[in-house]
């Protein structure tokens, strides 16, 4: 089964569910879904608000692309999340956002890897 790769922000109060048996079907099914309190996207371009997919999408990204996120708190009443791929803004989420969100990359498969960098996302300096 396909295990997605999530890039975005998550609430600082979120904690992973405790699983007694990592081989259980519930545990395997849970890794295929975005966690609750997650805002962002997966590599197929699907956008998520509070862990639920929404209808809006973009083209996605793949190995070698540089993916960036920007939290904009210039309007405290309406914070925004911007997603960049190779320096281009490809998506914006401005619904149900809150203060105190933490940038995150969620790997759901052992074969996925990232290289984290700070600053503006640039082509050729990818994190995937």
């Amino acid at each position: 089964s396909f295990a997605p790769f999530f890039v975005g922000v998550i609430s600082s109060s979120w904690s992973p569910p405790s699983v007694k048996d990592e081989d259980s079907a519930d545990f395997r099914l849970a890794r295929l879904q975005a966690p609750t309190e997650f805002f962002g996207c997966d590599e197929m371009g699907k956008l998520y608000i509070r862990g639920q997919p929404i209808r809006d999408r973009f083209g996605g990204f793949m190995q070698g692309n540089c993916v960036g996120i920007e939290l904009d708190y210039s309007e405290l009443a309406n914070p925004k999340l911007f997603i960049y791929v190779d320096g281009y803004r490809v998506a914006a989420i401005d619904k149900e956002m809150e203060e105190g969100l933490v940038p995150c990359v969620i790997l759901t498969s052992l074969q996925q890897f990232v290289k984290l960098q700070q600053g503006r996302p640039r082509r050729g300096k990818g994190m995937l």
Side-chain angles (χ1 to χ4, degrees):
S1 66
F2 175 72
F5 179 97
F6 299 103
V7 177
V9 295
I10 198 162
S11 173
S12 59
S13 63
W14 182 83
S15 60
S18 62
V19 177
K20 296 177 182 157
D21 183 13
E22 290 186 8
D23 292 331
S24 72
D26 290 338
F27 180 77
R28 288 193 306 269
L29 184 61
R31 73 183 185 116
L32 301 177
Q33 301 171 349
T36 57
E37 302 304 315
F38 172 78
F39 298 82
C41 66
D42 63 19
E43 74 268 30
M44 303 304 286
K46 188 181 297 183
L47 299 175
Y48 295 85
I49 294 177
R50 294 202 182 280
Q52 300 298 316
I54 61 175
R55 292 187 328 152
D56 296 338
R57 305 178 74 109
F58 66 96
F61 52 88
M62 63 179 118
Q63 186 173 351
N65 287 127
C66 181
V67 180
I69 57 171
E70 175 187 357
L71 284 167
D72 181 8
Y73 289 114
S74 60
E75 296 178 39
L76 291 177
N78 190 23
K80 295 175 179 59
L81 170 70
F82 297 109
I83 300 171
Y84 295 86
V85 175
D86 292 336
Y88 295 101
R89 185 183 292 172
V90 295
I93 297 175
D94 62 353
K95 299 175 187 165
E96 301 182 36
M97 296 286 292
E98 59 191 42
E99 281 192 57
L101 296 170
V102 178
C104 68
V105 176
I106 302 170
L107 306 175
T108 57
S109 173
L110 294 176
Q111 297 158 350
Q112 297 167 330
F113 63 94
V114 295
K115 183 171 108 180
L116 298 176
Q117 296 183 4
Q118 287 186 323
R120 185 180 172 114
R122 298 184 312 261
R123 184 159 184 80
K125 302 287 184 183
M127 67 179 226
L128 301 179

